[in-house]
Amino acid sequence: MESTILKTRNFNAFYGENHVLKNINIDIDKNSVWAIMGPSGCGKTTFIRCINRMHELTPNAHVQGSMQLAEEEVYEMNPVLLRRKVGMVFQRPNPFPTMSIYENVIAGYSLNGIKLNRKEKDEIVETSLQRAALWNEVKDTLHKKGSFLSGGQQQRLCIARALSMNPEILLLDEATSALDPISTAKIEELIYELSTQFTIMMVTHNMQQAARVSNKTAFFYLGELIEADATKTIFTNPKNEKTQDYIRGHFG
């Protein structure tokens, strides 16, 4: 039986008066790759920002309903602890420009005041960079600035930084849309490998990408979750007409 890592029940999100997510009910299973799809402005990014409570950093933002991570209410958790369990990688690579590659990987620990000895740091850096398929490319330049890397390498460094905290869920917000095709292919390959250890939720506009790397897809439209199912089913036999129109390129 699949075990559910994240569950929402009648979950709503608002920016002031603006009702952005409407009664979202979804069960996200452990060690799966979910594509979060839908036209611009449909609530995809807001949904994943709610999972690590970045949504509430916006003035007047609030939520209603239940969201549980491993059966614990997300909005009753300490946000700092929550963000260790839910890593996030953004659209544009954003390594900390003044930090070395090494410091970037363990930034989560230093920013949270978690003390590590040298051996622990070395192990975390190596493991995280290997998980992000970057170790062999940077192992001899760990103390150079992260910003000297190529765009695709920078994005994998950001993935390593997110993975260093051993999160339960990794959120990718259009993490390949600013990258060239070769870097994109590397990150897609990486997502596939990481899914044995982590649950991955990726917002993507790229249907081919969703079809290639995800095993489940959730389709959002105007703040509502229209349909969530196996990716193959969503692409070949969607139940809802709106999903069908979107897949066929009639809007979005």
Side-chain angles (χ1 to χ4, degrees):
M1 190 182 138
E2 291 175 341
S3 58
T4 301
I5 179 97
L6 184 82
K7 179 163 80 178
T8 71
R9 292 295 178 265
N10 299 329
F11 187 80
N12 292 267
F14 302 82
Y15 290 114
E17 297 293 300
N18 187 6
H19 193 176
V20 210
L21 291 176
K22 300 163 188 170
N23 290 326
I24 307 297
N25 291 289
I26 195 169
D27 288 14
I28 302 289
D29 38 316
K30 220 173 177 169
N31 296 8
S32 56
V33 180
W34 279 81
I36 311 294
M37 286 179 32
S40 297
C42 68
K44 307 182 294 287
T45 294
T46 297
F47 178 59
I48 67 165
R49 285 173 66 91
C50 286
I51 300 170
N52 73 346
R53 290 181 54 178
M54 287 194 68
H55 169 67
E56 66 190 36
L57 302 176
T58 308
N60 300 322
H62 63 286
V63 301
Q64 286 170 358
S66 167
M67 178 179 279
Q68 292 184 344
L69 175 67
E71 298 189 355
E72 204 179 337
E73 278 294 340
V74 164
Y75 284 79
E76 288 169 13
M77 291 169 79
N78 173 325
V80 175
L81 294 179
L82 170 71
R83 288 180 195 132
R84 284 184 210 163
K85 295 182 179 196
V86 182
M88 188 158 188
V89 177
F90 298 92
Q91 189 167 359
R92 300 211 165 266
N94 62 343
F96 297 119
T98 57
M99 290 185 185
S100 67
I101 294 168
Y102 186 100
E103 290 163 337
N104 257 291
V105 177
I106 49 170
Y109 291 87
S110 20
L111 296 173
N112 286 310
I114 301 166
K115 299 272 183 280
L116 299 168
N117 65 37
R118 186 60 197 234
K119 185 169 177 288
E120 289 169 326
K121 285 181 184 174
D122 289 350
E123 279 172 7
I124 289 167
V125 168
E126 183 171 344
T127 305
S128 306
L129 288 169
Q130 280 186 335
R131 278 175 170 169
L134 191 58
W135 174 251
N136 291 336
E137 293 164 51
V138 301
K139 62 176 190 255
D140 301 324
T141 52
L142 290 175
H143 298 287
K144 275 193 170 177
K145 297 268 186 288
S147 46
F148 96 98
L149 297 170
S150 72
Q153 288 174 320
Q154 286 189 25
Q155 195 62 304
R156 280 183 287 146
L157 176 58
C158 294
I159 291 173
R161 184 173 70 195
L163 295 177
S164 73
M165 305 300 288
N166 265 323
E168 292 172 38
I169 295 180
L170 181 62
L171 305 173
L172 304 174
D173 189 4
E174 299 213 37
T176 60
S177 63
L179 303 178
D180 62 85
I182 292 168
S183 303
T184 298
K186 277 190 176 169
I187 286 180
E188 287 183 4
E189 209 174 293
L190 179 59
I191 290 168
Y192 181 74
E193 286 163 20
L194 291 172
S195 65
T196 58
Q197 298 161 283
F198 304 94
T199 299
I200 298 171
M201 297 175 70
M202 48 186 279
V203 167
T204 179
H205 269 105
N206 182 331
M207 287 194 224
Q208 288 80 11
Q209 181 175 67
R212 280 193 300 266
V213 302
S214 69
N215 44 24
K216 298 282 180 78
T217 293
F219 172 65
F220 283 75
Y221 183 66
L222 298 179
E224 291 179 22
L225 173 61
I226 302 297
E227 188 166 350
D229 211 328
T231 298
K232 196 173 178 187
T233 307
I234 293 274
F235 278 88
T236 57
N237 191 19
K239 294 179 184 68
N240 193 291
E241 211 175 305
K242 288 192 182 87
T243 316
Q244 213 168 338
D245 287 348
Y246 183 71
I247 299 294
R248 289 180 178 163
H250 292 187
F251 62 84

